[in-house]
Amino acid sequence: MEVIVAKFGGTSVGNGERIRKAAESVVKEYMKGKKVVVVVSAINKTTDDILKIVNDAIGDAVTEKQLADIVSMGETTSVRVFSATIESLGVKSEYIDPHMDNWPVITDSNYLNAKVNYELTEEKSKEIMNLLDQGIIPVLCGFLGKDETGNITTLGRGGSDITAFLLGHCLSAEEVIIVTDVGGVMSTDPNKLRTAKKLDRISVEEMRDLATHGAQVLHPHALRYKDPLINAKIIGFEHGDLSALGTEIMGPAGNQMLKTTALNSEPISVIAVVGEEILTKRGILSKLTDTLAENNVNIYGISTGQNSVTLFIDKAVADKAHEVLHEVVVENEYLSSLSLGMEIAMITVASQDFIDTPGIITKVTEPLRKNKINIVEISSSQTSVVIFVDWNDGKKAYELVRRVLE
């Protein structure tokens, strides 16, 4: 029988009417013969209200252990209300919170930003399957965990998404459904641009980077638990239907679980374009990239300085790129010269863990320094680091960097 995990965000259970609508959508899937696990956030703004009260009453004197216990009240309340609502619709339900022996999410003792003990959580999740096999709909607190001594921990703000994908992975669910206050993932923030459109699908990698850079629709850490064999989607609560169309989250490819190290199979060439203070001249970068695009030359990376622009392209088309860019340089008063440089290797390192790993650049590059491998160029985002080294050092550098993720 198919298992689905449905997570309802705080807005989705923001009042009694919405809670009943959400419960009805769960029961509807149950009546279709599906086993449904529900993950619930605190009722809209409850956690914020609790934090304000704590700040006004205690201020900085509150300990992390106390704070984790206090803020858990939002979720422990919402699961009770949600479970009772399901039972009012004639279906058996049980709420589960960290005070109970069958609570599945086990973490370390970092009370406010705990890391999941995956092996223990996977083992404890079997007790959730026992409830499902009895025809019971379990309703679990999102956001919360419990350390091995029984203390309540939290997974960080937005952690209910983590709970949903984690349980989906542990229970080998068919699908994880994230129910939010929007109908899916939008092409941009609809509050800023009315022309924003809903996406039918988005890859895990795209969703991760979008969430990392500020999109509020999904917690970026949650996607580290997105199993490639499990379907996932984001839908709006207004439908009151878990089978509603939203935005499907695709991937990750293979079984990489968002941790990858890759070495480009072919050499990369470097073209450096120079000119006095070209960084301050409008349209220079556009002219260079447009020229390459018009000549079907792909760009792997761009580095800019006050007086230079460096472009990284396939060696196979380097001579052609050199020629067409030379024409741009000759015709543009702000540009003076360009050079076609060495063959280099491109190594890409990506991991969800980079988001909150201070010093990750040092961690990735230190093995190269110790082995006297020079870095030609480096670029980074919150979830990936791209390193360019001499082509002859490429394979060795790849092996050294790959071990950083192990």
Side-chain angles (χ1 to χ4, degrees), residues 194-237:
R194 294 183 180 179
T195 53
K197 296 182 179 179
K198 183 180 74 66
L199 305 180
D200 291 333
R201 59 186 58 85
I202 189 170
S203 72
V204 165
E205 293 79 8
E206 290 172 308
M207 187 69 247
R208 173 197 64 193
D209 289 347
L210 193 64
T212 299
H213 289 90
Q216 300 296 312
V217 69
L218 187 67
H219 195 286
H221 287 178
L223 291 168
R224 73 179 64 179
Y225 300 106
K226 168 64 172 72
D227 192 307
L229 301 178
I230 296 176
N231 298 322
K233 67 179 179 181
I234 299 172
I235 64 173
F237 71 83

Side-chain angles (χ1 to χ4, degrees), residues 63-69 105-117 120 145-155:
T63 68
E64 290 189 350
K65 180 180 178 182
Q66 289 169 337
L67 189 57
D69 192 43
V105 182
I106 309 302
T107 72
D108 63 13
S109 297
N110 185 348
Y111 297 110
L112 299 183
N113 194 23
K115 290 186 177 180
V116 174
N117 184 320
L120 290 179
K146 179 169 66 174
D147 69 13
E148 292 186 57
T149 58
N151 297 309
I152 291 179
T153 62
T154 74
L155 305 179

Side-chain angles (χ1 to χ4, degrees), residues 259-319:
K259 285 189 176 184
T260 60
T261 305
L263 172 66
N264 200 59
S265 60
E266 299 297 328
I268 302 292
S269 288
V270 181
I271 295 181
V273 182
V274 300
E276 187 174 357
E277 295 187 350
I278 59 175
L279 198 60
T280 65
K281 306 299 189 292
R282 297 178 186 173
I284 294 294
L285 191 57
S286 174
K287 183 62 177 176
L288 296 172
T289 57
D290 285 351
T291 298
L292 293 180
E294 290 164 4
N295 286 273
N296 296 316
V297 176
N298 185 48
I299 301 171
Y300 285 96
I302 298 176
S303 176
T304 59
Q306 185 70 15
N307 301 301
S308 66
V309 175
T310 306
L311 303 113
F312 300 88
I313 60 175
D314 271 325
K315 180 194 172 187
V317 294
D319 289 336

